[in-house]
Amino acid sequence: MSTAPVTTSPIAVLGAGSWGTALAIQFARAGRTTRLWSRDRQQSVAMAQTRRNDRYLPEAAFPAGLTVAADLPVAIDGAADVLIAVPSHGLRALLREIAPLLRAETRLAWATKGFELDTGLLPHQVAAEVLGTARPQAVLSG
């Protein structure tokens, strides 16, 4: 039986709603060092203390490999992969915020559904406008 190669660099999950939290928990359960970030600093502090997201997923305790980063640069620092799990109306602003923090080799994925209300653009179109198309990008849906 073959196994997937172990990735030792962390994954940053940006967005701590129910979807982002569930994904971060699953990455950590799979053995991936995971950092979960929320725009809401108070929520970040509470999650770090209780080791769960009492607002959106109270029944799911955080595995040992999951940490909460209250600061966006800390969440992204050294991450080989960044997964964005924010609503479509917040995607462009977050992409603009993280653009200067991403290394050239950082892989980016988003679990954002829908379209941008003001422009009607889909998430991949928003990402192309903000970041260009040279970076490895993927979409996670479910």
mmCIF file of all heavy atoms in Angstrom, residues 10 50 87 98 125:
data_model
loop_
_atom_site.group_PDB
_atom_site.id
_atom_site.type_symbol
_atom_site.label_atom_id
_atom_site.label_comp_id
_atom_site.label_asym_id
_atom_site.label_seq_id
_atom_site.Cartn_x
_atom_site.Cartn_y
_atom_site.Cartn_z
ATOM 1 N N PRO A 10 3.591 23.922 7.124
ATOM 2 C CA PRO A 10 2.197 24.086 7.542
ATOM 3 C C PRO A 10 1.288 24.519 6.394
ATOM 4 O O PRO A 10 1.736 25.047 5.380
ATOM 5 C CB PRO A 10 2.275 25.182 8.609
ATOM 6 C CG PRO A 10 3.551 25.887 8.372
ATOM 7 C CD PRO A 10 4.472 24.914 7.709
ATOM 8 N N THR A 50 -10.007 27.656 24.136
ATOM 9 C CA THR A 50 -10.921 26.524 24.314
ATOM 10 C C THR A 50 -10.573 25.332 23.432
ATOM 11 O O THR A 50 -11.109 24.242 23.646
ATOM 12 C CB THR A 50 -12.376 26.928 24.021
ATOM 13 O OG1 THR A 50 -12.495 27.304 22.642
ATOM 14 C CG2 THR A 50 -12.818 28.068 24.917
ATOM 15 N N PRO A 87 -16.441 34.013 2.700
ATOM 16 C CA PRO A 87 -17.535 34.258 1.763
ATOM 17 C C PRO A 87 -17.037 35.020 0.526
ATOM 18 O O PRO A 87 -16.053 35.762 0.590
ATOM 19 C CB PRO A 87 -18.518 35.118 2.568
ATOM 20 C CG PRO A 87 -18.167 34.884 3.999
ATOM 21 C CD PRO A 87 -16.698 34.598 4.015
ATOM 22 N N ILE A 98 -3.362 39.526 1.570
ATOM 23 C CA ILE A 98 -2.323 38.498 1.651
ATOM 24 C C ILE A 98 -1.315 38.567 0.517
ATOM 25 O O ILE A 98 -0.235 37.986 0.626
ATOM 26 C CB ILE A 98 -2.919 37.075 1.729
ATOM 27 C CG1 ILE A 98 -3.593 36.665 0.435
ATOM 28 C CG2 ILE A 98 -3.826 36.934 2.941
ATOM 29 C CD1 ILE A 98 -3.998 35.207 0.377
ATOM 30 N N GLN A 125 -11.766 34.233 -11.127
ATOM 31 C CA GLN A 125 -11.595 35.478 -11.866
ATOM 32 C C GLN A 125 -11.129 36.601 -10.940
ATOM 33 O O GLN A 125 -10.284 37.412 -11.316
ATOM 34 C CB GLN A 125 -12.908 35.853 -12.563
ATOM 35 C CG GLN A 125 -13.305 34.863 -13.641
ATOM 36 C CD GLN A 125 -14.727 35.054 -14.125
ATOM 37 O OE1 GLN A 125 -15.653 35.220 -13.322
ATOM 38 N NE2 GLN A 125 -14.897 35.028 -15.450
#
